[in-house]
Structure formats: structure tokens, C-alpha cells
Amino acid sequence: MINDLLTQATCMVTVPKETGIIEIGTGWLASPEGHIITAAHVLSTDKTTVPTEVSVKFGNGEPMTAKQIAWHYHHDHGLDVAILKLDSLPAGLSPLPISLVTEVEGDCRLAGYGKPLMNRSSGMGKFSGIYDCKDNSAYRLFLIDSTALAAEGYSGGAIFSDKLQAVVAIQVEAARRGGAGLNTVLALPLYRVAEVWGELKELAKPMHMNTIKLDLITVRRQLTQQFDDPGFDSFCMDYFPQVFNKFGRGLRLDEKINLLLDYCRRTPARSQALLDALQNHDREL
């Protein structure tokens, strides 16, 4: 279910270049207000040519325009991040939980648009240490061992810690420095992103508060009373397409409700999204 959480919040970022080449990278939803984080070099490595707008696309949705509101790039210091902003957030998308840790271990995963396929895929890795650019801990990057993720196109993708159940870094480079091997990924910790984009500090707090435990009995009763079968299909298609796609022909309403509740139980960060969606639906009636 963690992969479902990651993929629904992951977008392709496309940036046309003057040469006619289209640069492709990965971004991810970081706030309910439509903030998207990606790597600065996906947009440009030259401050004078950074675009003010780029195109982003979530899953099978339509391309949307996102405004560039922050760009910070300094290769020697390992700083490589851009912040984008959507005017409005499509229904059914939820931001990823965030953690500003300075150290991390264990397994991790990422969803993104690695080349040459240029469609959404995912891969696993393992945190293997740290790399201090210029031998300075202020310029720290996380090292990740991963054959799957050491590829172009994943730049800007959210590095999700299985242990912490949150995004802790963004992928910025398939390592070619510091003696790292070809299957090593360099990732910019989010605590460093927060140093140049202060809003991330505020976003990190409520995201953990939103990891709530559902009262399954109460929510099941509410869903049963509020929806008939076609209405529940429409609700899930709008807000939880990952669950809707698992509805098979002949599945009863109670079975569909159980699929949704099980998804939220296994993916706690989506529990608040369910409560918010029910509130939105109530207001629309």
C-alpha cells in the first residue's frame, strides 16, 4: 500500500529546452496547497535560464502548469532543489508525509519517471551512509545503494523511508563522486531543503499529526449510510483511484467499503484523506 501512496503523489516534470530537447524529471506533492518538490537541475543548472512555469502530470491525469516559486542549485554544496506550485489540486491526491531527520537507516523506496521508459515506475534501495560535500557536514547528502534507482529521470523523486514511514530526502544524482559506485544514489535530505525553503518546517508537523487511527466501525457505518453502490464507485474514482481500480465486477458495496478501509488502515497517511473527502462530499450534497 505504501507504493500506492507514493505513486498517487508522484508526477512527471517536463521542461522544454531551447535545443528542442525535453528534460524529464520527477516531482512529488508536498502540501495540500499544491506545492511540488523536485530537483533544481530538472529545470536548469543556470540561474539565467530557469523557467517560471513547467508542465507536470500525475498518473493518467491531464498535464497541468505549475509555477516555479523557488530554485536553489549549488552542485559543489550538494544543493539541488526547486519548489513548484499548482493553482489548484486535483481531487484524489494527497501529499506525502515528511520527516526532517538528519540520520536514517534501513530500506527506502521511490516512484518516478526513470529513463529510457519515461513512464512511472518504482524501485527499492537501502540507506548506506552519508557523503559530506567539501568534507563539510553542512553540505551533507544521504547515500543509497540501489541498482534500480541509479538512472536519469528519477531526479527530484521522493526518497521514502520504510522505517520512518515518511519522505526524508529527494534524489539528486546517480553518484559519480566521493568514491561511490555506479549503483549509488545521492539524496538531498529534507532538513536541508527546509533551510532554504522554510515552509517545509511547518509542513512536516501537521503531516505527522495527520497519521491517525480510523474508528473503523464508525466510518464503515457512515459510508454504508451515505452511499449507494454507484455513488460509492464515483466517490472512490474521484478520491481513491488506487482502490477504485481494484473493484471487480460483481463486488458488493460492503466488500468495496472494506477494500477502502483496509487501504487506509495499511496506509495511515491516507486516513485523514478519507475523513477530508467525506467532509467535502457532505458539503457538496
Side-chain angles (χ1 to χ4, degrees):
M1 293 297 182
I2 295 300
N3 283 338
D4 289 339
L5 175 66
L6 271 174
T7 54
Q8 62 85 31
T10 298
C11 63
M12 176 188 289
V13 180
T14 55
V15 184
K17 301 294 184 178
E18 292 182 356
T19 59
I21 296 174
I22 296 179
E23 182 72 29
I24 294 177
T26 298
W28 54 280
L29 189 62
S31 84
E33 290 73 36
H35 292 96
I36 295 170
I37 296 179
T38 187
H41 77 259
V42 172
L43 276 63
S44 178
T45 58
D46 182 349
K47 185 177 182 179
T48 65
T49 61
V50 179
T52 57
E53 295 181 342
V54 299
S55 176
V56 300
K57 182 176 181 293
F58 289 88
N60 295 323
E62 294 296 319
M64 297 176 289
T65 298
K67 296 177 182 177
Q68 177 267 119
I69 63 171
W71 177 90
H72 300 276
Y73 182 80
H74 195 313
H75 182 267
D76 289 346
H77 293 175
L79 183 60
D80 188 347
V81 63
I83 311 299
L84 311 175
K85 177 72 166 59
L86 294 170
D87 286 335
S88 61
L89 192 63
L93 297 183
S94 293
L96 296 177
I98 293 166
S99 179
L100 305 182
V101 295
T102 57
E103 296 180 358
V104 66
E105 61 182 7
D107 293 333
C108 64
R109 63 187 72 207
L110 176 149
Y113 291 84
K115 296 179 181 178
L117 296 178
M118 292 189 287
N119 54 12
R120 192 170 54 193
S121 57
S122 60
M124 297 288 296
K126 184 179 289 292
F127 293 105
S128 57
I130 56 174
Y131 173 65
D132 291 338
C133 304
K134 299 286 187 179
D135 294 322
N136 187 333
S137 61
Y139 306 146
R140 176 158 296 176
L141 298 174
F142 293 152
L143 292 175
I144 299 168
D145 286 341
S146 175
T147 302
L149 301 180
E152 292 182 70
Y154 287 125
S155 292
I159 301 293
F160 187 93
S161 164
D162 283 6
K163 182 176 182 179
L164 299 178
Q165 290 292 285
V167 181
V168 298
I170 65 169
Q171 179 159 328
V172 294
E173 187 177 338
R176 299 291 186 272
R177 52 179 168 173
L182 296 179
N183 294 329
T184 302
V185 168
L186 291 173
L188 176 65
L190 289 187
Y191 78 84
R192 290 194 58 198
V193 175
E195 292 172 356
V196 296
W197 187 54
E199 289 186 44
L200 192 61
K201 296 176 184 177
E202 299 303 317
L203 291 173
K205 298 174 184 177
M207 294 311 294
H208 289 294
M209 291 169 57
N210 284 346
T211 304
I212 64 172
K213 185 176 181 180
L214 282 178
D215 181 344
L216 295 177
I217 295 176
T218 300
V219 176
R220 181 180 287 108
R221 183 184 304 118
Q222 182 179 357
L223 291 169
T224 302
Q225 294 173 347
Q226 192 163 333
F227 294 101
D228 58 14
D229 202 323
F232 188 70
D233 282 356
S234 297
F235 175 78
C236 288
M237 183 169 61
D238 289 342
Y239 292 100
F240 297 92
Q242 306 89 344
V243 178
F244 175 76
N245 290 337
K246 295 179 181 179
F247 291 172
R249 182 176 297 179
L251 210 61
R252 301 191 310 269
L253 176 60
D254 63 306
E255 294 173 319
K256 295 176 183 179
I257 289 174
N258 285 336
L259 278 178
L260 175 61
L261 294 179
D262 185 61
Y263 169 68
C264 292
R265 181 181 62 82
R266 293 174 180 272
T267 314
R270 296 293 276 156
S271 296
Q272 185 64 47
L274 174 56
L275 298 181
D276 291 344
L278 284 171
Q279 276 192 337
N280 291 336
H281 185 267
D282 285 341
R283 287 195 293 266
E284 293 170 357
L285 292 178

